[in-house]
Amino acid sequence: MTWLVREFAGALLAGPWERRPMIARLAYVTNLPEAGWIVKLVAAVLRKHGEPPDHEALTDWLYSHRPLQRVLVDPEIRIRRWLEPPLEMADSPWDVPPLGSRKELATWLGLDVQRLEALADERGRVREAREQRMRHYRYTWIAKRAGGHRLLEAPKPRLRAVQRLVLDDIVAKVPPHDAAHGFRAGHSVVGFAAVHVGREVVIRVDLHAFFASVSRPRVAAIFRSAGYPREIAGVLAALCTHRTPRDVLAAAPSREWSELAKLRGAHLPQGAPTSGALANLAAYRLDVRVAALAAAIGASYTRYADDLVLSGPRALARAASSIVGRIGAIAHDEGFALNFRKTRVMTASDRQRITGLVVNEKLAVTRDEVDRLRAILFNCARTGPAAQNREGHADFRAHLLGRISWVSAVDRGKGDRLRALFDRIRWDEAPADATDEDVR
């Protein structure tokens, strides 16, 4: 209801401070011409405010106006249209394209206004279409290693191209916090983990349903901070967020109710190119506050997507419970939640592992992972790759190259030896000669 009251205040202030124009503006945005409650509301506003107040003052007064509160319980009372022309774009602190109207936004994206509104799907008509071909996303439930499932929501090519343009020319221009290492150029998981090498204590916490926790209003606020007027920020946010259809949620393999509830609302879809960078920006205040906490206790802090890591002296181990509790309170205050089951407090006597890397004395891929990959490559060379693709990867060759590149980024020597094994694989399925000596 707060959002609706703010929009009412905006409509009342968007033109002459006179009875008839004010009634007309409220009637226009609600699509309720000459409704009795609108006439009475405007009269009450003019009695209270002889001159136009600022937006916040009018919003506060409207929110406390009891006759309006009784009206707003009716679900049919809502914003159905936006006033035209939109506000001009404010000066932006970043070099983003100036877009002051839907037409300008559509032209910039290479679309007409009708196609733009269909892709944004602000009213959810396309989302709930019965025919899958009419929808803008494809859906896949993927099993998690630790149990449960996550939903991959992949935009179809037309929407993906639009999101990629928004990412490259707008979202990527807005800098996240220095502690954020995921989903940004020039940063990687290696840099994220390297900060914590050789520390006496490493504390790792995990955010629950990271992408799904970022709502459409939060995304719109990010675009507003870039200088875009409210309407354009709303359309951009609609292009980058999504409500999961009811039939997709009904087909969920497991009933993780807290996450399913978030998926019902407009959220960042895991699978869209814009989601990672927007999630970083949504977590900016979280990063600021956790970084301040870390500095206060003599620790270092970095974040990679939903993984938050603090490291420092031995005293952190004794205070770990309090530290995690304070991080949890900050996360809750910023609209996120910790997955306490994944919290780990690792001392130097333990294997300190974060995002698949060991950070005890130097940065390293775990020996088990390297050994498994070496065995797969050896067997691929000996018996052919088809027999080793037990998980059914659509492009097994690219999958293996990706795993080798991951090792190479951390340890070039091991990566080169694994690549030499890979080069012995014959992808026409005819096995190459290989001996045990080749894999040592």
mmCIF file of all heavy atoms in Angstrom, residues 291-326:
data_model
loop_
_atom_site.group_PDB
_atom_site.id
_atom_site.type_symbol
_atom_site.label_atom_id
_atom_site.label_comp_id
_atom_site.label_asym_id
_atom_site.label_seq_id
_atom_site.Cartn_x
_atom_site.Cartn_y
_atom_site.Cartn_z
ATOM 1 N N ALA A 291 31.755 -5.360 5.382
ATOM 2 C CA ALA A 291 33.149 -4.909 5.295
ATOM 3 C C ALA A 291 33.514 -4.060 6.506
ATOM 4 O O ALA A 291 34.637 -4.160 7.033
ATOM 5 C CB ALA A 291 33.362 -4.125 4.001
ATOM 6 N N ALA A 292 32.584 -3.221 6.958
ATOM 7 C CA ALA A 292 32.836 -2.406 8.158
ATOM 8 C C ALA A 292 32.973 -3.291 9.394
ATOM 9 O O ALA A 292 33.832 -3.055 10.258
ATOM 10 C CB ALA A 292 31.714 -1.394 8.343
ATOM 11 N N LEU A 293 32.139 -4.313 9.495
ATOM 12 C CA LEU A 293 32.240 -5.259 10.605
ATOM 13 C C LEU A 293 33.591 -5.955 10.574
ATOM 14 O O LEU A 293 34.264 -6.087 11.610
ATOM 15 C CB LEU A 293 31.112 -6.287 10.513
ATOM 16 C CG LEU A 293 31.202 -7.497 11.450
ATOM 17 C CD1 LEU A 293 31.146 -7.049 12.911
ATOM 18 C CD2 LEU A 293 30.092 -8.500 11.145
ATOM 19 N N ALA A 294 34.001 -6.404 9.383
ATOM 20 C CA ALA A 294 35.287 -7.089 9.255
ATOM 21 C C ALA A 294 36.440 -6.179 9.678
ATOM 22 O O ALA A 294 37.349 -6.602 10.413
ATOM 23 C CB ALA A 294 35.487 -7.562 7.810
ATOM 24 N N ALA A 295 36.414 -4.932 9.235
ATOM 25 C CA ALA A 295 37.483 -3.992 9.604
ATOM 26 C C ALA A 295 37.525 -3.768 11.113
ATOM 27 O O ALA A 295 38.604 -3.662 11.708
ATOM 28 C CB ALA A 295 37.276 -2.667 8.871
ATOM 29 N N ALA A 296 36.356 -3.755 11.746
ATOM 30 C CA ALA A 296 36.295 -3.508 13.186
ATOM 31 C C ALA A 296 36.889 -4.655 14.000
ATOM 32 O O ALA A 296 37.349 -4.436 15.124
ATOM 33 C CB ALA A 296 34.851 -3.264 13.604
ATOM 34 N N ILE A 297 36.874 -5.874 13.455
ATOM 35 C CA ILE A 297 37.383 -7.033 14.203
ATOM 36 C C ILE A 297 38.714 -7.522 13.637
ATOM 37 O O ILE A 297 39.179 -8.614 13.982
ATOM 38 C CB ILE A 297 36.357 -8.184 14.198
ATOM 39 C CG1 ILE A 297 36.023 -8.639 12.774
ATOM 40 C CG2 ILE A 297 35.090 -7.764 14.934
ATOM 41 C CD1 ILE A 297 35.071 -9.823 12.705
ATOM 42 N N GLY A 298 39.339 -6.740 12.771
ATOM 43 C CA GLY A 298 40.645 -7.093 12.228
ATOM 44 C C GLY A 298 40.608 -8.216 11.216
ATOM 45 O O GLY A 298 41.566 -8.992 11.113
ATOM 46 N N ALA A 299 39.526 -8.314 10.452
ATOM 47 C CA ALA A 299 39.374 -9.388 9.469
ATOM 48 C C ALA A 299 39.321 -8.818 8.053
ATOM 49 O O ALA A 299 39.154 -7.616 7.856
ATOM 50 C CB ALA A 299 38.103 -10.194 9.758
ATOM 51 N N SER A 300 39.493 -9.693 7.063
ATOM 52 C CA SER A 300 39.328 -9.345 5.659
ATOM 53 C C SER A 300 38.012 -9.943 5.165
ATOM 54 O O SER A 300 37.589 -11.003 5.636
ATOM 55 C CB SER A 300 40.481 -9.898 4.817
ATOM 56 O OG SER A 300 41.724 -9.373 5.252
ATOM 57 N N TYR A 301 37.381 -9.266 4.203
ATOM 58 C CA TYR A 301 36.072 -9.712 3.714
ATOM 59 C C TYR A 301 36.017 -9.665 2.196
ATOM 60 O O TYR A 301 36.437 -8.676 1.582
ATOM 61 C CB TYR A 301 34.969 -8.816 4.285
ATOM 62 C CG TYR A 301 33.630 -8.947 3.575
ATOM 63 C CD1 TYR A 301 32.923 -10.150 3.602
ATOM 64 C CD2 TYR A 301 33.082 -7.874 2.863
ATOM 65 C CE1 TYR A 301 31.693 -10.272 2.952
ATOM 66 C CE2 TYR A 301 31.861 -7.998 2.222
ATOM 67 C CZ TYR A 301 31.175 -9.192 2.260
ATOM 68 O OH TYR A 301 29.977 -9.319 1.614
ATOM 69 N N THR A 302 35.517 -10.735 1.586
ATOM 70 C CA THR A 302 35.189 -10.740 0.165
ATOM 71 C C THR A 302 33.895 -11.524 -0.021
ATOM 72 O O THR A 302 33.502 -12.330 0.820
ATOM 73 C CB THR A 302 36.290 -11.373 -0.709
ATOM 74 O OG1 THR A 302 36.527 -12.726 -0.287
ATOM 75 C CG2 THR A 302 37.585 -10.581 -0.637
ATOM 76 N N ARG A 303 33.234 -11.265 -1.159
ATOM 77 C CA ARG A 303 32.003 -11.991 -1.494
ATOM 78 C C ARG A 303 32.051 -12.430 -2.949
ATOM 79 O O ARG A 303 32.441 -11.647 -3.828
ATOM 80 C CB ARG A 303 30.765 -11.107 -1.274
ATOM 81 C CG ARG A 303 29.446 -11.815 -1.628
ATOM 82 C CD ARG A 303 28.228 -10.934 -1.345
ATOM 83 N NE ARG A 303 28.266 -9.685 -2.094
ATOM 84 C CZ ARG A 303 27.935 -9.566 -3.381
ATOM 85 N NH1 ARG A 303 27.534 -10.630 -4.068
ATOM 86 N NH2 ARG A 303 28.010 -8.394 -3.988
ATOM 87 N N TYR A 304 31.658 -13.666 -3.205
ATOM 88 C CA TYR A 304 31.514 -14.173 -4.566
ATOM 89 C C TYR A 304 30.098 -14.710 -4.690
ATOM 90 O O TYR A 304 29.782 -15.774 -4.152
ATOM 91 C CB TYR A 304 32.539 -15.279 -4.854
ATOM 92 C CG TYR A 304 32.648 -15.598 -6.333
ATOM 93 C CD1 TYR A 304 33.592 -14.946 -7.132
ATOM 94 C CD2 TYR A 304 31.800 -16.524 -6.938
ATOM 95 C CE1 TYR A 304 33.697 -15.219 -8.480
ATOM 96 C CE2 TYR A 304 31.890 -16.791 -8.287
ATOM 97 C CZ TYR A 304 32.838 -16.141 -9.057
ATOM 98 O OH TYR A 304 32.930 -16.404 -10.415
ATOM 99 N N ALA A 305 29.234 -13.939 -5.356
ATOM 100 C CA ALA A 305 27.806 -14.296 -5.467
ATOM 101 C C ALA A 305 27.220 -14.431 -4.061
ATOM 102 O O ALA A 305 27.217 -13.478 -3.294
ATOM 103 C CB ALA A 305 27.626 -15.554 -6.302
ATOM 104 N N ASP A 306 26.773 -15.650 -3.692
ATOM 105 C CA ASP A 306 26.140 -15.820 -2.382
ATOM 106 C C ASP A 306 27.095 -16.309 -1.307
ATOM 107 O O ASP A 306 26.670 -16.586 -0.186
ATOM 108 C CB ASP A 306 24.950 -16.778 -2.489
ATOM 109 C CG ASP A 306 25.336 -18.112 -3.114
ATOM 110 O OD1 ASP A 306 26.526 -18.313 -3.452
ATOM 111 O OD2 ASP A 306 24.440 -18.963 -3.280
ATOM 112 N N ASP A 307 28.393 -16.422 -1.621
ATOM 113 C CA ASP A 307 29.400 -16.863 -0.650
ATOM 114 C C ASP A 307 30.088 -15.657 -0.024
ATOM 115 O O ASP A 307 30.741 -14.872 -0.721
ATOM 116 C CB ASP A 307 30.446 -17.755 -1.304
ATOM 117 C CG ASP A 307 29.946 -19.170 -1.525
ATOM 118 O OD1 ASP A 307 29.219 -19.680 -0.659
ATOM 119 O OD2 ASP A 307 30.259 -19.763 -2.570
ATOM 120 N N LEU A 308 29.965 -15.506 1.305
ATOM 121 C CA LEU A 308 30.628 -14.435 2.040
ATOM 122 C C LEU A 308 31.722 -15.063 2.897
ATOM 123 O O LEU A 308 31.475 -16.047 3.607
ATOM 124 C CB LEU A 308 29.645 -13.691 2.957
ATOM 125 C CG LEU A 308 28.623 -12.744 2.317
ATOM 126 C CD1 LEU A 308 27.597 -13.507 1.502
ATOM 127 C CD2 LEU A 308 27.924 -11.930 3.404
ATOM 128 N N VAL A 309 32.930 -14.496 2.832
ATOM 129 C CA VAL A 309 34.055 -15.059 3.574
ATOM 130 C C VAL A 309 34.769 -13.962 4.347
ATOM 131 O O VAL A 309 35.079 -12.896 3.803
ATOM 132 C CB VAL A 309 35.054 -15.762 2.625
ATOM 133 C CG1 VAL A 309 36.268 -16.258 3.408
ATOM 134 C CG2 VAL A 309 34.385 -16.930 1.911
ATOM 135 N N LEU A 310 35.006 -14.226 5.640
ATOM 136 C CA LEU A 310 35.840 -13.374 6.486
ATOM 137 C C LEU A 310 37.009 -14.220 6.974
ATOM 138 O O LEU A 310 36.846 -15.418 7.251
ATOM 139 C CB LEU A 310 35.069 -12.838 7.695
ATOM 140 C CG LEU A 310 34.106 -11.671 7.463
ATOM 141 C CD1 LEU A 310 32.805 -12.176 6.859
ATOM 142 C CD2 LEU A 310 33.827 -10.941 8.783
ATOM 143 N N SER A 311 38.174 -13.609 7.066
ATOM 144 C CA SER A 311 39.335 -14.336 7.579
ATOM 145 C C SER A 311 40.199 -13.400 8.400
ATOM 146 O O SER A 311 40.184 -12.183 8.206
ATOM 147 C CB SER A 311 40.153 -14.921 6.418
ATOM 148 O OG SER A 311 40.695 -13.885 5.604
ATOM 149 N N GLY A 312 40.957 -14.001 9.325
ATOM 150 C CA GLY A 312 41.806 -13.170 10.163
ATOM 151 C C GLY A 312 42.485 -13.962 11.256
ATOM 152 O O GLY A 312 42.720 -15.181 11.109
ATOM 153 N N PRO A 313 42.773 -13.314 12.393
ATOM 154 C CA PRO A 313 43.543 -13.945 13.464
ATOM 155 C C PRO A 313 42.747 -14.996 14.232
ATOM 156 O O PRO A 313 41.536 -15.135 14.081
ATOM 157 C CB PRO A 313 43.905 -12.768 14.368
ATOM 158 C CG PRO A 313 42.821 -11.762 14.126
ATOM 159 C CD PRO A 313 42.457 -11.906 12.688
ATOM 160 N N ARG A 314 43.458 -15.710 15.094
ATOM 161 C CA ARG A 314 42.874 -16.819 15.845
ATOM 162 C C ARG A 314 41.683 -16.391 16.699
ATOM 163 O O ARG A 314 40.763 -17.174 16.929
ATOM 164 C CB ARG A 314 43.953 -17.436 16.744
ATOM 165 C CG ARG A 314 43.521 -18.710 17.464
ATOM 166 C CD ARG A 314 44.653 -19.236 18.344
ATOM 167 N NE ARG A 314 45.834 -19.501 17.547
ATOM 168 C CZ ARG A 314 46.039 -20.640 16.884
ATOM 169 N NH1 ARG A 314 45.128 -21.590 16.929
ATOM 170 N NH2 ARG A 314 47.141 -20.824 16.189
ATOM 171 N N ALA A 315 41.658 -15.143 17.139
ATOM 172 C CA ALA A 315 40.575 -14.680 18.000
ATOM 173 C C ALA A 315 39.210 -14.775 17.316
ATOM 174 O O ALA A 315 38.177 -14.837 17.987
ATOM 175 C CB ALA A 315 40.843 -13.232 18.429
ATOM 176 N N LEU A 316 39.186 -14.808 15.988
ATOM 177 C CA LEU A 316 37.914 -14.919 15.281
ATOM 178 C C LEU A 316 37.192 -16.222 15.605
ATOM 179 O O LEU A 316 35.967 -16.281 15.607
ATOM 180 C CB LEU A 316 38.127 -14.829 13.761
ATOM 181 C CG LEU A 316 38.626 -13.505 13.183
ATOM 182 C CD1 LEU A 316 38.654 -13.584 11.662
ATOM 183 C CD2 LEU A 316 37.750 -12.350 13.632
ATOM 184 N N ALA A 317 37.961 -17.280 15.864
ATOM 185 C CA ALA A 317 37.341 -18.581 16.145
ATOM 186 C C ALA A 317 36.508 -18.515 17.418
ATOM 187 O O ALA A 317 35.405 -19.061 17.482
ATOM 188 C CB ALA A 317 38.415 -19.662 16.259
ATOM 189 N N ARG A 318 37.004 -17.828 18.439
ATOM 190 C CA ARG A 318 36.272 -17.732 19.700
ATOM 191 C C ARG A 318 35.019 -16.876 19.553
ATOM 192 O O ARG A 318 34.019 -17.107 20.239
ATOM 193 C CB ARG A 318 37.185 -17.151 20.784
ATOM 194 C CG ARG A 318 38.367 -18.031 21.154
ATOM 195 C CD ARG A 318 39.063 -17.518 22.404
ATOM 196 N NE ARG A 318 39.651 -16.196 22.203
ATOM 197 C CZ ARG A 318 40.868 -15.991 21.731
ATOM 198 N NH1 ARG A 318 41.635 -17.033 21.404
ATOM 199 N NH2 ARG A 318 41.338 -14.769 21.597
ATOM 200 N N ALA A 319 35.064 -15.903 18.661
ATOM 201 C CA ALA A 319 33.928 -15.001 18.491
ATOM 202 C C ALA A 319 33.062 -15.378 17.290
ATOM 203 O O ALA A 319 32.174 -14.609 16.909
ATOM 204 C CB ALA A 319 34.440 -13.568 18.330
ATOM 205 N N ALA A 320 33.305 -16.555 16.707
ATOM 206 C CA ALA A 320 32.652 -16.916 15.445
ATOM 207 C C ALA A 320 31.130 -16.880 15.535
ATOM 208 O O ALA A 320 30.451 -16.375 14.643
ATOM 209 C CB ALA A 320 33.123 -18.295 14.980
ATOM 210 N N SER A 321 30.586 -17.415 16.623
ATOM 211 C CA SER A 321 29.136 -17.462 16.762
ATOM 212 C C SER A 321 28.542 -16.059 16.757
ATOM 213 O O SER A 321 27.528 -15.792 16.089
ATOM 214 C CB SER A 321 28.754 -18.190 18.058
ATOM 215 O OG SER A 321 27.349 -18.214 18.224
ATOM 216 N N SER A 322 29.173 -15.144 17.482
ATOM 217 C CA SER A 322 28.704 -13.762 17.526
ATOM 218 C C SER A 322 28.850 -13.090 16.163
ATOM 219 O O SER A 322 27.958 -12.354 15.723
ATOM 220 C CB SER A 322 29.490 -12.981 18.579
ATOM 221 O OG SER A 322 29.158 -11.614 18.540
ATOM 222 N N ILE A 323 29.968 -13.356 15.486
ATOM 223 C CA ILE A 323 30.208 -12.742 14.175
ATOM 224 C C ILE A 323 29.163 -13.197 13.168
ATOM 225 O O ILE A 323 28.581 -12.388 12.438
ATOM 226 C CB ILE A 323 31.629 -13.091 13.675
ATOM 227 C CG1 ILE A 323 32.671 -12.418 14.563
ATOM 228 C CG2 ILE A 323 31.810 -12.669 12.222
ATOM 229 C CD1 ILE A 323 34.083 -12.906 14.322
ATOM 230 N N VAL A 324 28.901 -14.498 13.140
ATOM 231 C CA VAL A 324 27.907 -15.023 12.203
ATOM 232 C C VAL A 324 26.521 -14.452 12.520
ATOM 233 O O VAL A 324 25.749 -14.111 11.617
ATOM 234 C CB VAL A 324 27.889 -16.562 12.234
ATOM 235 C CG1 VAL A 324 26.722 -17.118 11.409
ATOM 236 C CG2 VAL A 324 29.211 -17.114 11.699
ATOM 237 N N GLY A 325 26.220 -14.334 13.821
ATOM 238 C CA GLY A 325 24.944 -13.747 14.203
ATOM 239 C C GLY A 325 24.799 -12.307 13.738
ATOM 240 O O GLY A 325 23.731 -11.891 13.269
ATOM 241 N N ARG A 326 25.880 -11.547 13.837
ATOM 242 C CA ARG A 326 25.836 -10.151 13.397
ATOM 243 C C ARG A 326 25.710 -10.054 11.879
ATOM 244 O O ARG A 326 24.984 -9.206 11.355
ATOM 245 C CB ARG A 326 27.087 -9.408 13.892
ATOM 246 C CG ARG A 326 27.113 -9.245 15.409
ATOM 247 C CD ARG A 326 28.462 -8.771 15.912
ATOM 248 N NE ARG A 326 28.729 -7.388 15.546
ATOM 249 C CZ ARG A 326 29.855 -6.747 15.872
ATOM 250 N NH1 ARG A 326 30.793 -7.392 16.581
ATOM 251 N NH2 ARG A 326 30.048 -5.497 15.509
#
